[in-house]
Amino acid sequence: MIQKKICMLGAFAVGKTSLVGRFVRSIFSDKYQTTVGVKIDKKIVSVGDEQVNMMLWDLHGEDEFQKVRMSYLRGASGYLLVADGTRKDTLDIALSLHETIQESVGTIPCILVVNKSDLSDDWEIEKSELDDLATNHWEIIYSSAKSGEGVEEAFQSLARQVV
Amino acid sequence: MSDSSTQDDSPKKTPSDVTGDSLDELRRLILNREQRELESLREDVEHLTKRPHALTPDEVSDVLPDAIVRRTGQDRQLARALSSTVEEAIQTSVKKDPQPLVDAIFPVIGPAIRKAISNALSSTIQSLNTTLEHSLSLQGLKWRMEAMRTGRPFAEIVLSHTMLYQVDQVFLIHKETGLLLQDVESGNTTVQDADMVSGMLTAIQDFVHDSFTVKKGEQLDTMQVGDLTVWIERGPHAIIAAVVRGAPNQELRVVLQDAVETVHLEMEVAFQDFSGDSGPFAAIRPHLVSCLQIQLAEDEETKAKSPAFWIILCACVISLSIWGFVSTRDAWRWSAYLDLLEDEPGIVVTKTGTRDGLFYVKGLRDPLAPDPATLLSGTGLLLTDVSGEWEPYLAFRPEFIVQRAARLVSLPETAKLTYEDGTLHLSGTAPMIWLKDARERVRYMQGVAGLVEADDFLTEEMGRMLDMQALVENLTIIFPVGSSRLNPGDYRQIETVTNTVRALNSAAAAVAISTQIEIIGHSDSTGSAAMNTLISTRRAMRVRDALVDAGFPASEFIARGVSATVPVDDGSQDRIQEASRRVSFHVLVSDRASDEETRQ
Ligand SMILES: Nc1nc2c(ncn2[C@@H]2O[C@H](COP(=O)(O)OP(=O)(O)O)[C@@H](O)[C@H]2O)c(=O)[nH]1
Ligand SMILES: [Mg+2]
């Protein structure tokens, strides 16, 4: 079976861990999360008639967007860039993270996930801004780790791109 | 063979010679090339006839590389042949000038020496560490004693006890991605999700590398959790991580290093092409399996045992047997006690066992049953050996129903209850009013259909009535010979009769019975029968009159004479005759209700 390393990136509290939790049910390396600052989960998905074992690296830490450890990105086949639809600054952080990664790791498949779509009342990120990105070949998926909307779709879509 | 040389040797020239010269000239012109070739062939042939097997250096240089390659492939002959020459050459070279050789092997020799030294040092330090660690502990003291006893060095003893380890699991992990390439396990799997562990191991190494200031090339190579150690050996593309239980020694390091090197050697291409598919790496599983090593500690059996060991062993055996005896005895007593409980009516045992070092029994107990604790006496168990938990319940055994009923109705001492076929049976005597109340009360008792009087039961009132009847019937009034007159002193007797009859009447009234009293006159057997009948009848009537005078209604009495037909038989003839001159009483009894019926 093919294995792929996938990273979860984004500002703190945007819902990276929640998205992974929603996507997989495994709770293995919980105890490492505070000491090491990364939690690894896995889920096997089907792409066509191929099975892909997605190793999901979820980076922890309060200010992870500031000093994301580039070493964790080494060997990644793709990443989910997560923003919180109710906090406009999280999109800016996501985009600047993207730039940093491109500089250090190069261009690898990536999807922009705008999370917390269930909180439409507190929505801050303008649709027009996302539309602009979409026209610039960004793949954008609205998701909610709470309701489950778009979660499967986001991971599946990335899986298709990395195989 | 050569014509020209023979012709050149001719002594004089003739015209034909001239012709001969020009012919030569012509021949030379036409056959120049062939002639030269012939010349060279001739030289070759001469050379060959002189040294038939020789090759020119040129020829050898042409075939040499090829020949070496071929021969090396076939056997080790060439190496054997060359070795002494090469050795000699090196010796000569070193003698002449060592520098070129030193320069040549310098890059190899440095790391090799360093590696050897570091391996030797680290195993020494390892054993030193264990020795120090154990020298002050209780374990250490024991080992020190062992060292003294066996005469072996303490460090060796420590080592023999600590070198026990087993490799449980071995991972081959892709260095860059942290993805699992292969893993093998010994059967006692320590880690469940190998691919996640693989990622975590990589992340941990990255973390350590990023977080601490380490020199280039230094990496995390040991992790320890309790009894588990993870040893990591790395190569350019992959690392091997071994999960080890116990205390691994340096030999294992070498095994792991070998495995990493072999894997890299065999999988170079697969590493270059790796993009997430671990399939090709199945081929190197045998190398990982070879890392699943077990190292056992020295066999305990073979060691000589000290006297202290035997003393301790004996003490253990003795205390074990005492303990065994005591616990068997207690278990035996306990089961006897349980049998007692089981046999006891009103006690039901539902659970037994031991709890907090005590025997434990749980069950149901009728409040009328004896206290289970009192049953302990005689079993040999103490109150403190046993903990009991008893729930109250009502037992429906006859003796308990009877006891409960007796309490409920306050059974008088004169009466007795038995239980049969769902009914309480009353015998003995008791007041009527009590009986009425008791009947009421038992109606509400579980398992009791009612209270019935047994054949031998009498109410107290009826008993008194019967007593009075007997008293009345025991009375006699004696008359003088041939007289039906009562003497003045006889009125005392009449008074007794009056009182007794009065008491009879009231006792009879209490039980709703009406009585009539037959007053029977008797005579002795002397004299005529007619006279005797007359006199006996008169005697009866005299007593009846006296009673009526005392206030009783005449209807209560029937007076009749029976002459001497009912003799008294008690003693001498005289006494009989006197006793026969008497009046006796007989009480006739009838239900008051039926009495009234007949009157109507
Ligand atoms: N309503 C809502 N809350 C979410 C959603 N995803 C995450 N959260 C909440 O956001 C907070 C941060 O989530 P977490 O997954 O820890 O964020 P992380 O720091 O990016 O890993 C938590 O309180 C989550 O419960 C979502 O889709 N909807
Ligand atoms: Mg998180």
Side-chain angles (χ1 to χ4, degrees):
Chain A
M1 192 192 316
I2 292 202
Q3 308 177 66
K4 294 289 175 188
K5 173 174 171 179
I6 303 296
C7 290
M8 304 292 297
L9 295 165
F12 78 96
V14 293
K16 300 181 293 295
T17 307
S18 308
L19 285 168
V20 172
R22 172 52 90 159
F23 185 55
V24 294
R25 266 172 298 155
S26 173
I27 48 160
F28 169 70
S29 47
D30 262 354
K31 49 184 164 235
Y32 293 116
Q33 66 192 45
T34 44
T35 44
V36 176
V38 60
K39 181 176 184 288
I40 298 176
D41 266 313
K42 69 160 179 179
K43 176 148 170 171
I44 295 168
V45 297
S46 302
V47 177
D49 41 58
E50 196 155 17
Q51 299 272 90
V52 184
N53 187 2
M54 295 179 89
M55 303 303 303
L56 304 166
W57 289 48
D58 174 18
L59 308 187
H60 278 251
E62 292 200 342
D63 54 350
E64 56 211 357
F65 61 94
Q66 306 248 351
K67 46 177 191 183
V68 59
R69 294 173 187 280
M70 283 304 151
S71 61
Y72 291 149
L73 291 166
R74 197 158 30 79
S77 297
Y79 54 96
L80 285 186
L81 213 45
V82 187
D84 176 350
T86 67
R87 278 151 58 210
K88 195 174 174 331
D89 60 320
T90 63
L91 180 62
D92 304 334
I93 291 167
L95 295 177
S96 80
L97 263 174
H98 178 69
E99 267 170 38
T100 322
I101 294 161
Q102 281 211 314
E103 279 161 24
S104 60
V105 183
T107 305
I108 54 174
C110 128
I111 285 177
L112 177 61
V113 178
V114 186
N115 191 36
K116 308 200 185 178
S117 64
D118 55 296
L119 300 175
S120 50
D121 287 351
D122 305 322
W123 207 251
E124 268 187 9
I125 298 181
E126 302 277 333
K127 187 166 183 310
S128 57
E129 195 174 346
L130 293 174
D131 287 345
D132 285 351
L133 286 169
T135 50
N136 281 319
H137 311 295
W138 274 89
E139 178 166 358
I140 302 169
I141 291 175
Y142 292 85
S143 76
S144 165
K146 193 174 177 185
S147 73
E149 185 208 337
V151 177
E152 197 78 21
E153 192 191 339
F155 285 99
Q156 274 289 350
S157 172
L158 189 60
R160 269 196 303 278
Q161 292 186 38
V162 298
V163 288
Chain B
M1 234 173 127
S2 166
D3 303 29
S4 61
S5 68
T6 34
Q7 273 160 9
D8 279 347
D9 290 345
S10 60
K12 53 183 181 240
K13 283 184 180 178
T14 58
S16 67
D17 283 340
V18 174
T19 320
D21 282 349
S22 15
L23 202 69
D24 269 349
E25 188 66 29
L26 187 65
R27 195 185 288 144
R28 203 172 53 243
L29 283 173
I30 296 169
L31 297 173
N32 186 24
R33 202 159 55 96
E34 284 76 7
Q35 189 138 18
R36 259 188 284 128
E37 278 175 8
L38 276 172
E39 198 64 26
S40 147
L41 272 172
R42 190 174 56 88
E43 271 172 29
D44 279 358
V45 170
E46 269 172 16
H47 185 77
L48 276 173
T49 35
K50 267 188 237 156
R51 295 164 58 193
H53 297 299
L55 283 172
T56 63
D58 281 352
E59 282 164 340
V60 173
S61 76
D62 274 351
V63 296
L64 189 62
D66 229 7
I68 289 177
V69 170
R70 274 211 209 165
R71 194 58 198 251
T72 313
Q74 279 165 16
D75 54 31
R76 299 185 44 77
Q77 205 58 43
L78 190 66
R80 239 174 263 146
L82 283 176
S83 63
S84 60
T85 318
V86 170
E87 276 164 22
E88 217 170 297
I90 292 174
Q91 276 168 10
T92 321
S93 155
V94 170
K95 253 182 235 158
K96 205 178 82 198
D97 181 7
Q99 202 50 48
L101 216 89
V102 170
D103 286 349
I105 61 172
F106 172 75
V108 192
I109 202 117
I113 291 172
R114 265 205 302 281
K115 186 167 177 177
I117 290 176
S118 107
N119 272 0
L121 259 182
S122 72
S123 28
T124 314
I125 286 169
Q126 190 186 40
S127 69
L128 193 69
N129 271 346
T130 10
T131 311
L132 280 177
E133 240 170 55
H134 290 291
S135 55
L136 292 173
S137 63
L138 192 72
Q139 182 80 287
L141 278 173
K142 228 175 75 192
W143 289 348
R144 215 169 265 291
M145 271 170 61
E146 189 181 330
M148 270 153 52
R149 198 157 43 70
T150 56
R152 289 158 63 201
F154 178 55
E156 194 184 320
I157 301 283
V158 172
L159 225 59
S160 76
H161 284 283
T162 52
M163 277 204 321
L164 183 137
Y165 70 86
Q166 166 160 23
V167 180
D168 279 351
Q169 223 165 351
V170 180
F171 303 91
L172 179 69
I173 301 169
H174 190 241
K175 212 170 160 184
E176 189 185 16
T177 57
L179 295 174
L180 180 68
L181 297 174
Q182 282 301 312
D183 73 312
V184 295
E185 56 190 60
S186 66
N188 348 346
T189 318
T190 333
V191 161
Q192 307 300 338
D193 228 326
D195 44 9
M196 289 208 280
V197 172
S198 171
M200 281 315 300
L201 280 174
T202 314
I204 291 167
Q205 289 181 75
D206 291 344
F207 172 78
V208 171
H209 193 257
D210 293 353
S211 309
F212 305 103
T213 40
V214 289
K215 289 195 204 98
K216 193 169 166 19
E218 280 179 343
Q219 284 282 3
L220 178 72
D221 59 6
T222 305
M223 278 180 268
Q224 202 151 9
V225 191
D227 190 29
L228 285 183
T229 308
V230 180
W231 266 8
I232 295 168
E233 271 310 317
R234 47 181 62 70
H237 299 296
I239 64 169
I240 279 185
V243 181
V244 190
R245 259 183 311 125
N249 58 25
Q250 284 301 318
E251 282 164 40
L252 181 64
R253 268 282 178 222
V254 177
V255 172
L256 297 181
Q257 283 164 357
D258 275 355
V260 168
E261 283 163 15
T262 322
V263 167
H264 276 80
L265 210 66
E266 292 179 12
M267 288 285 128
E268 184 60 33
V269 181
F271 279 126
Q272 304 285 347
D273 298 346
F274 181 71
S275 69
D277 181 10
S278 58
F281 293 90
I284 52 83
R285 284 183 74 83
H287 301 309
L288 300 189
V289 171
S290 71
C291 301
L292 290 176
Q293 301 214 338
I294 291 187
Q295 175 106 22
L296 294 177
E298 164 182 314
D299 193 358
E300 295 285 328
E301 294 301 302
T302 58
K303 285 184 209 158
K305 301 283 189 277
S306 69
F309 171 83
W310 292 113
I311 291 169
I312 291 170
L313 187 72
C314 287
C316 285
V317 169
I318 291 169
S319 35
L320 252 170
S321 22
I322 291 174
W323 176 80
F325 167 74
V326 169
S327 50
T328 322
R329 188 198 59 192
D330 282 354
W332 193 82
R333 286 174 170 175
W334 173 241
S335 92
Y337 174 58
L338 290 180
D339 287 347
L340 267 180
L341 288 177
E342 301 268 12
D343 289 347
E344 188 59 49
I347 289 181
V348 181
V349 173
T350 55
K351 197 175 168 188
T352 64
T354 50
R355 182 195 275 184
D356 308 331
L358 293 181
F359 289 118
Y360 168 75
V361 57
K362 183 178 176 169
L364 305 172
R365 173 181 167 237
D366 190 292
L368 295 172
D371 182 350
T374 62
L375 296 173
L376 277 173
S377 63
T379 58
L381 290 172
L382 298 176
L383 208 59
T384 47
D385 296 334
V386 177
S387 101
E389 226 178 276
W390 298 100
E391 285 287 323
Y393 91 112
L394 292 181
F396 283 90
R397 302 175 63 110
E399 56 264 49
F400 283 93
I401 291 183
V402 165
Q403 276 196 55
R404 262 202 301 282
R407 281 194 185 189
L408 180 71
V409 301
S410 320
L411 187 72
E413 277 178 10
T414 51
K416 195 175 166 252
L417 279 174
T418 53
Y419 180 79
E420 219 171 276
D421 301 334
T423 313
L424 285 166
H425 295 258
L426 184 63
S427 55
T429 62
M432 262 164 50
I433 181 142
W434 172 87
L435 180 62
K436 191 167 165 256
D437 179 58
R439 276 223 175 81
E440 240 355 81
R441 285 179 187 234
V442 299
R443 273 174 52 191
Y444 303 106
M445 263 187 80
Q446 292 275 346
V448 173
L451 178 67
V452 297
E453 295 149 52
D455 290 343
D456 60 349
F457 176 78
L458 271 183
T459 60
E460 241 167 44
E461 289 79 0
M462 180 62 86
R464 182 159 331 114
M465 209 290 292
L466 293 176
D467 287 349
M468 296 324 295
Q469 180 181 359
L471 221 57
V472 168
E473 290 182 344
N474 264 343
L475 292 169
T476 47
I477 298 172
I478 307 294
F479 284 81
V481 179
S483 164
S484 62
R485 281 192 32 206
L486 285 165
N487 296 321
D490 294 333
Y491 285 97
R492 295 281 293 278
Q493 291 190 56
I494 292 294
E495 208 177 299
T496 306
V497 173
T498 312
N499 288 341
T500 313
V501 169
R502 206 166 269 139
L504 170 70
N505 281 353
S506 79
V511 291
I513 277 174
S514 38
T515 53
Q516 240 187 346
I517 297 170
E518 254 188 314
I519 304 171
I520 303 162
H522 303 265
S523 67
D524 56 24
S525 51
T526 59
S528 72
M531 194 56 204
N532 281 345
T533 303
L534 181 71
I535 203 158
S536 66
T537 306
R538 276 221 184 124
R539 280 173 179 159
M541 288 172 66
R542 181 62 44 91
V543 170
R544 187 202 58 193
D545 291 348
L547 287 172
V548 171
D549 283 350
F552 292 104
S555 63
E556 204 176 314
F557 306 104
I558 299 165
R560 62 187 177 100
V562 292
S563 67
T565 53
V566 186
V568 190
D569 184 12
D570 69 337
S572 66
Q573 200 55 37
D574 279 357
R575 294 286 305 154
I576 288 168
Q577 287 300 343
E578 190 195 308
S580 301
R581 298 187 298 269
R582 74 194 196 277
V583 160
S584 68
F585 303 89
H586 177 66
V587 181
L588 299 171
V589 176
S590 68
D591 223 314
R592 183 167 283 176
S594 61
D595 206 46
E596 272 161 16
E597 264 165 40
T598 43
R599 231 176 274 163
Q600 278 168 6

